[in-house]
Amino acid sequence: MNRIPVITVDGPSGVGKGMVTRWLAQRTGFHRLDSGALYRILALAAANSVDLDNHAAVAALASGLKIEFVGTSEDDEAILVGGQDWTREVRAETTGALASRIAVSPEVRAALLQRQKDFRVAPGLIADGRDMGTVVFTDARLKLFLDASPEERADRRLKQLSKAGIAANFATLCEEIRARDARDRSRSVAPLKPADDAYLIDTTGLSPEAVLAKVEALSVAAGF
Ligand code: C5P
């Protein structure tokens, strides 16, 4: 049994997982895993070199990628792949769509599984994604599942992107979010759904402070 504590934060895109994960990491001093970034990086690397629908070829690329997450706050975080700064490309909306295309593949998911587990180091880990509580860290001490309406998530994403200097359109974003949700929720391997023992938080209409107040109450109750 692995005694290093894990808190999982799952949910669809644009629901505030990043904010909750950062806040929990700061509160606990634990490490962080942004599992979506791993799928995004692999999709980008694959798009440059192989056919994205050739899942065996995509999966084969996973072990050779040298990935580093640097910085701790939203403003100074960077993602280095093979020593190069990929932050902007990784965060682009189009990359999220590419990632969800390869994420349907059991081979691709298996290739990333151990890499994700490797982030579980002392003193603990806050892991965010789609299947952290259901597949990767089933023995997590606290599991959260965040949700919100697609419109609200598109609106938040629009603000996030514009802060990062990336142009986007509300209607297109809404459409992309719905399409990505449908793909993530309906796939046969590790579909997006709450673990049986996860706490559900519907963040529609809630301020960031109100969401964090709920998270704080749950984390105190779980002994964090
Ligand atoms: O969370 P993020 O938007 O960065 O994830 C990009 C895509 O990667 C998701 O839409 C999903 O298809 C896939 N993903 C996944 N499992 C995870 C994290 C991300 O399938 N644990």
Side-chain angles (χ1 to χ4, degrees), residues 4-10 16-36 69 116-117 119-129 132-133 136-137 140-144 146 212 215 219 224:
I4 297 174
V6 179
I7 301 179
T8 57
V9 184
D10 286 306
K17 299 190 298 287
M19 171 195 73
V20 166
T21 305
R22 275 188 202 94
W23 186 86
L24 280 169
Q26 208 163 34
R27 178 186 171 86
T28 56
F30 290 1
H31 301 279
R32 247 184 333 127
L33 165 63
D34 171 359
S35 62
F69 294 95
Q116 296 174 80
K117 293 190 178 200
F119 280 81
R120 186 174 192 169
V121 285
L125 180 69
I126 319 287
D128 98 58
M132 298 298 99
V136 184
F137 302 109
R141 282 239 308 263
L142 173 64
K143 299 182 183 182
L144 306 177
L146 308 184
L212 292 178
V215 171
S219 87
F224 293 109

Side-chain angles (χ1 to χ4, degrees), residues 35-36 39-40 99-100 103 109 129-132 180 184 187:
S35 62
Y39 284 89
R40 287 167 178 260
S100 88
R109 306 198 72 85
R130 303 290 186 288
D131 62 343
M132 298 298 99
R180 185 132 69 94
D184 287 349
R187 69 183 175 218

Side-chain angles (χ1 to χ4, degrees), residues 76-202:
D76 74 352
E77 266 166 22
I79 298 171
L80 307 182
V81 182
Q84 305 231 320
D85 189 348
W86 283 28
T87 317
R88 224 181 142 77
E89 292 84 345
V90 169
R91 295 283 165 235
E93 213 49 37
T94 45
T95 306
L98 285 184
S100 88
R101 256 178 72 192
I102 63 161
V104 297
S105 156
E107 278 161 297
V108 167
R109 306 198 72 85
L112 288 177
L113 188 62
Q114 190 55 45
R115 275 199 99 127
Q116 296 174 80
K117 293 190 178 200
D118 290 344
F119 280 81
R120 186 174 192 169
V121 285
L125 180 69
I126 319 287
D128 98 58
R130 303 290 186 288
D131 62 343
M132 298 298 99
T134 50
V135 176
V136 184
F137 302 109
T138 49
D139 61 342
R141 282 239 308 263
L142 173 64
K143 299 182 183 182
L144 306 177
F145 189 94
L146 308 184
D147 214 341
S149 71
E151 293 75 18
E152 173 128 355
R153 286 153 50 209
D155 191 50
R156 291 181 195 162
R157 192 62 124 195
L158 196 65
K159 292 191 179 114
Q160 243 176 18
L161 289 171
S162 94
K163 210 172 132 196
I166 301 169
N169 164 284
F170 180 77
T172 318
L173 267 182
C174 244
E175 207 32 62
E176 281 168 5
I177 282 179
R178 282 182 206 281
R180 185 132 69 94
D181 272 9
R183 202 156 41 216
D184 287 349
R185 289 186 207 262
S186 69
R187 69 183 175 218
S188 54
V189 230
L192 170 64
K193 63 161 196 226
D196 292 338
D197 50 352
Y199 290 95
L200 293 169
I201 304 177
D202 184 348

